[in-house]
Amino acid sequence: MEFRGVMGGFYRISEWIMRLSVINLLWIFCAIPFFFLGILLLNSTTEQMVYQTLFLMAVVSPFTLFPSTAAMFSVARKWVTGDEDVPLFKTFFRGYKSNFVQAMIGGFIYLLFGAILYANFQFYGNQSGLFGILRFLVMSISVLLIISLFHFFSILTHLHMKMLQIVKNAVLITIGSPIRSLSMIVLVGVVLFVSTRIFTFLIPFFTGSLIAVISFWHFNLIFGKLQEKQQALSGRKRRTKAMRRRTRMKHRSLATFLRRMRLKITPTKRTSNKFPPFHELHPRPSLLSLSGRL
């Protein structure tokens, strides 16, 4: 039964609320060790407990948070690309199973990058002069790495690539499309601010799923433009090859025409090109013939 008008609008809104909340709850359930440690982090009273909890969260995140986030992005991919009526549980756990290994390896890679950047920031933060300015460069690279993390999950669920290619393309897309990347991270920041400062009840129901939809929507726009540029470039290459092929055919036909004309202009061979000597045509009279005439 299809509702129309105001009732149809309310039905669509309630349907999307159900979809977002279900996927968000599945995301939290599959990464429950990470979120449990996050709750302990909020209740930490000493600095030592904070560092210990952060270390434990970093250890368990490649095994829990990254595969669960990849599964959530696989469902968001279906929604953004137009397949809205997909089975939520089946699509989520299928994405969780198929992307688990790559998501886990990607988690270790990003954790390694994060640890290196944190160590550099701590080192340059305590320096003065020129070395102290380098901490702003480290902060810029950190922001770039955070933005590329969202593109990483989008590429992981949308394309079949090797792990290093996924990480490299995520960084290249972040650098190559700065406006879309900045708008994406701004909207993600707005969702996080509203969820943590104003409406905290959104965290278990909508925060993760909204971030996944926003991130993949921006990635889909960037990927569509890249495909258009690639198609235009391939079409230009095909036109260039066709022009070269036509030019070669013209040159060949011209060469064949000139070869045929050369054969027609070349004179035919004669048996002898030498004329007989003049004395053979008109022999000189002898003395006997002259005396007889006299």
Side-chain angles (χ1 to χ4, degrees), residues 83-100:
D83 195 0
E84 300 176 356
D85 297 326
V86 293
L88 299 179
F89 286 88
K90 185 177 180 180
T91 306
F92 183 89
F93 286 106
R94 182 184 297 170
Y96 186 90
K97 182 180 178 181
S98 60
N99 299 317
F100 183 86

Side-chain angles (χ1 to χ4, degrees), residues 29 59 80 84 116 119 129 143 203 230 248 288:
F29 175 76
V59 170
V80 174
E84 300 176 356
I116 293 172
V143 174
I203 295 176
Q230 186 177 5
R248 287 196 298 266
L288 294 176

Side-chain angles (χ1 to χ4, degrees), residues 4 14 17 53 56 80 94 96 99 104 112 115 128 136 139-141 154 157 160 165 172 175 201 262 285 290:
R4 296 181 180 179
S14 62
I17 289 173
T53 309
L56 291 175
V80 174
R94 182 184 297 170
Y96 186 90
N99 299 317
M104 182 182 64
L112 179 62
S128 60
F136 296 104
M139 291 175 62
S140 302
I141 297 175
S154 299
T157 57
H160 296 283
Q165 291 180 343
L172 291 177
I175 299 173
F201 68 90
R262 195 179 301 118
L290 291 174

Side-chain angles (χ1 to χ4, degrees), residues 74 100 123 133 152 182 237 239 248 275 286 291:
S74 64
F100 183 86
F123 175 77
I133 300 176
F152 166 80
L182 287 176
K237 288 182 179 180
R239 289 193 295 270
R248 287 196 298 266
F275 289 95
S286 61
S291 63

Side-chain angles (χ1 to χ4, degrees), residues 275-288:
F275 289 95
F278 183 77
H279 67 275
E280 292 182 2
L281 297 174
H282 302 283
R284 184 183 300 174
S286 61
L287 294 175
L288 294 176

Side-chain angles (χ1 to χ4, degrees), residues 102-117:
Q102 283 191 321
M104 182 182 64
I105 297 174
F108 284 116
I109 292 174
Y110 273 92
L111 280 178
L112 179 62
F113 288 160
I116 293 172
L117 290 174

Side-chain angles (χ1 to χ4, degrees), residues 175-188:
I175 299 173
S177 302
I179 298 176
R180 288 290 181 187
S181 299
L182 287 176
S183 64
M184 179 193 70
I185 201 65
V186 167
L187 290 176
V188 169

Side-chain angles (χ1 to χ4, degrees), residues 4 18 45 49 52-53 57 121 145 155 195 197 234 241 254 257 279 281:
R4 296 181 180 179
M18 183 270 296
T45 56
M49 290 182 61
Q52 289 177 354
T53 309
M57 291 176 69
F121 182 79
L145 190 68
I155 297 174
S195 301
R197 298 293 181 179
S234 61
K241 289 182 180 180
L254 181 60
F257 176 74
H279 67 275
L281 297 174

